[in-house]
Structure formats: C-alpha cells, structure tokens
Amino acid sequence: MEILAFGVQADEKPLIERAFQGQQEVRCLDVFLNEDTAPIAAGHEIVSTSVNADLGARVLELLAAGGTRMVAQRSTGFNNVDLDVAQRLGLTVARVSYYSPYSVAEFAWTLAMAVNRRIVRASTRTRDFDFRLDGLMGRDMHGRTAGVLGTGKIGEAFARIAHGFGMRLLGWDVAENPACRELGMTYVPKEQLLAESDLITLHVPLMPQTQHLIDADALKAMKDDAILVNSSRGGLIDTAALVAELREGRFTGVGLDVYEAEAGLFYVDRSLEAIEDDTLARLLTFPNVLVSSHQAYYTEDAVGQIIEATVKNVLDYRAGRRSENVLVPRS
C-alpha cells in the first residue's frame, strides 16, 4: 500500500521518490495537510507531512477515520501535532529528531549579514543601475556581542561562526552546552543577554513555555541598534509587539525566516492575491526587515537527511521497531 506524502516541494519530490524506491510506493502531493485535504488520505495507512501541516484534533480524527495509522512528519518540530489526540486514536507519530544543524545556523547568519549590510536594498538599486552608497552602511561583527537563545546543536553551530568573526558570546538555555563554553560563551540571564547583545538569534523549540519568548518587554530590553534573527519558530516572537517597536525606528535589522501565522501562507504562491494578514503586510513595509519563507533547513544535505530519517521511521513502523524519532508509539 502506498504512502501519501503531503506538502512536497518540487525540489523534494525526486529525492523522496528515489529514497523510497524498492522500499515502499509513495505518492507526492504539493497540497498541505489540513481539514480540507485530509479526506484525500482515505485508504492510506501511512501519511507523511511537512512542517506546516495541521495535525490538530479534527485533522487527526479525519485521518484515523479514513484508515491512517501512522503519521511520519518531515520535520523536527512537532508543535503542530496534538499528541494526546493521536494517542487516543491509536495513531503512531514520528518526526525527524536530527538533521544538519549547519543548514539553519548558516542561514541565520545569512539573514544577519543581509540586514546588517543592506544587501537587499543594494541589489535592488544596482539592478536599476543606481550605484550610490547612501543608506547602505553596516557594521563590523568583529568585537561585538552575539546573544544565542538556545544553545543546542544549531545554536552551537551559530556560535562557532560567531566565534570565527571574533565576537563576544552570550548564551541562554535551560542547560549549558560545554562546547559553547569552550568557545568562550558566557551563560547569563535572558534579560542580560537582551540588554548587552548587538546580534540576537533564536534557536529554541516552540512550546507553551517559549511562546512569545520575545515579547514587548523583551523587545524593549534590547539595544535600539540591535539585530534580531529568528530561524526557529514564528511563535517565539510577538509579531505585533515587534511591529510596534519597528514603527518607533528601533533595530538595525530584523531577519525572519519564520512567522507565527505562516500556516496557509508560506510555501504557497500568493503573489496574485490580497494578503489579509495586516501584521505581516505591515512587517514587510519596513526597509530594515527581511522575511524569507521558512527555508533555513532547505539544503541538499539537510533535506536528504530528513528524507532518510522519514524512510527509516516508516520501515521501523512496519517492523514494529521504536526509535528516538517516535513521539507516539504504535499501539
């Protein structure tokens, strides 16, 4: 019986089909899993989903009613999955617990340097043969302070790059990373990190405790000329509060690869439609803000590892094996 894979990007499709070849038939769809598309999965024991899939109670109930017994999510984060409902329905749920941390860390630095050195504005100008330097002045990163909120594998990779720039390192996490300590990182309270950092980057998972980790008070605690980067989950930042601070002319730059209301927007062409999200529309008007479409993970290396792990999760399910990727075990 074939696997139904939702939310497959054009670049991913041949990789997924090749990875499953000889193991399991797979059908790839470019539509995302939600309440409207869930009935498509009827008759499929296994479905694979992308990071922006809706795996709330109603969708899980529709999947279970259609005969689905296993959900293989192609991402690390699982804040979009109602695990309690999945367990009640007898659905096995697995994720990808690890893929290249360098993909996200390097992209976070791409955002940081792009807003610092005004790359988007410069590129737009030169395409119009405008070669002025007015408004393009950036700052050296060397000697400045990088604040890393979340010092796991991705945070550590980001810190190693910052160390290469010759930056002072501040860290905040529930548990200290010895490798970051060896780089010279000093762990401090969040409030101190926000107040002293020239560059702040977020690498913590989204959960109830971290929802709006960067809220209005946190934003006000930051330096007026700080750079803020989020390549983790959109819900870590109170976007309305961020817009309010940007309207006051604060921050050298903000680089966002994620947005808290991105579901239904990101990964889809909306260029010919009116965007009803006023907060996002306002955010995109600021010249010091760069928004990308949740692509930090999107490298050949990382996507390849995600697909390999997904194949393994499916084979483990078939064989009745359990791994560290399983969030809800087979009943």
Side-chain angles (χ1 to χ4, degrees):
M1 186 176 293
E2 70 178 4
I3 297 169
L4 191 61
F6 285 91
V8 178
Q9 302 297 313
D11 296 333
E12 289 180 288
K13 185 177 179 180
L15 299 178
I16 290 176
E17 291 175 340
R18 186 161 57 246
F20 276 103
Q21 191 172 20
Q23 302 285 352
Q24 181 89 41
E25 291 184 20
V26 60
R27 180 158 64 103
C28 296
L29 303 177
D30 58 2
V31 298
F32 295 92
L33 178 62
N34 55 41
E35 191 171 339
D36 293 329
T37 60
I40 301 173
H44 291 82
E45 181 182 355
I46 302 171
V47 300
S48 177
T49 59
S50 58
V51 65
N52 276 339
D54 176 0
L55 288 166
R58 179 58 182 156
V59 173
L60 292 174
E61 287 168 355
L62 289 169
L63 291 177
T68 297
R69 293 294 174 262
M70 194 258 186
V71 176
Q73 175 134 302
R74 303 188 308 278
S75 72
T76 298
F78 53 92
N79 53 284
N80 60 322
V81 187
D82 192 325
L83 298 178
D84 292 333
V85 172
Q87 186 168 30
R88 173 172 61 79
L89 295 170
L91 289 169
T92 299
V93 180
R95 62 162 179 161
V96 177
S97 59
Y98 174 86
Y99 61 84
S100 169
Y102 309 107
S103 61
V104 179
E106 291 171 5
F107 193 82
W109 265 107
T110 300
L111 290 175
M113 295 307 294
V115 296
N116 176 40
R117 302 306 299 269
R118 323 294 186 189
I119 299 300
V120 175
R121 184 183 300 177
S123 177
T124 301
R125 282 187 185 177
T126 55
R127 284 180 180 273
D128 292 332
F129 294 92
D130 178 353
F131 299 101
R132 293 173 299 159
L133 296 181
D134 297 344
L136 300 183
M137 185 175 288
R139 297 180 296 178
D140 289 359
M141 288 291 103
H142 179 83
R144 287 189 160 81
T145 300
V148 184
L149 292 162
T151 58
K153 292 182 176 65
I154 297 174
E156 177 189 333
F158 185 96
R160 289 189 182 279
I161 299 171
H163 182 261
F165 273 102
M167 300 185 76
R168 173 191 178 218
L169 296 174
L170 297 180
W172 176 86
D173 207 329
V174 293
E176 297 184 5
N177 184 337
C180 290
R181 279 283 193 185
E182 291 178 4
L183 293 172
M185 177 177 285
T186 301
Y187 281 85
V188 296
K190 184 181 74 170
E191 294 73 20
Q192 182 180 344
L193 183 149
L194 296 173
E196 296 182 12
S197 297
D198 301 292
L199 167 60
I200 296 167
T201 183
L202 308 180
H203 300 294
V204 299
L206 179 62
M207 54 186 66
Q209 303 93 310
T210 60
Q211 178 75 28
H212 287 178
L213 179 71
I214 303 299
D215 56 12
D217 290 338
L219 291 164
K220 291 184 183 301
M222 293 166 54
K223 293 181 178 182
D224 287 343
D225 61 354
I227 293 172
L228 174 63
V229 174
N230 185 11
S231 57
S232 182
R233 288 292 184 270
L236 297 176
I237 296 179
D238 183 339
T239 314
L242 175 60
V243 168
E245 294 301 312
L246 288 165
R247 291 180 63 182
E248 297 296 320
R250 300 190 65 220
F251 309 133
T252 289
V254 175
L256 304 175
D257 185 50
V258 287
Y259 173 61
E260 60 181 326
E262 68 183 54
L265 284 173
F266 282 22
Y267 303 143
V268 179
D269 182 3
R270 302 287 188 186
S271 59
L272 299 180
E273 303 175 21
I275 298 300
E276 298 178 356
D277 189 323
D278 292 338
T279 303
L280 178 60
R282 184 67 177 96
L283 191 64
L284 291 171
T285 65
F286 294 104
N288 58 333
V289 173
L290 175 56
V291 178
S292 53
S293 52
H294 204 148
Q295 68 184 81
Y297 79 98
Y298 207 55
T299 66
E300 293 179 3
D301 310 81
V303 172
Q305 291 167 2
I306 289 169
I307 293 171
E308 287 177 8
T310 301
V311 172
K312 182 178 183 299
N313 288 341
V314 169
L315 296 178
D316 284 346
Y317 165 80
R318 288 291 197 200
R321 295 187 296 263
R322 182 174 177 178
S323 72
E324 71 280 359
N325 288 340
V326 176
L327 298 171
V328 179
R330 186 171 184 172
S331 57

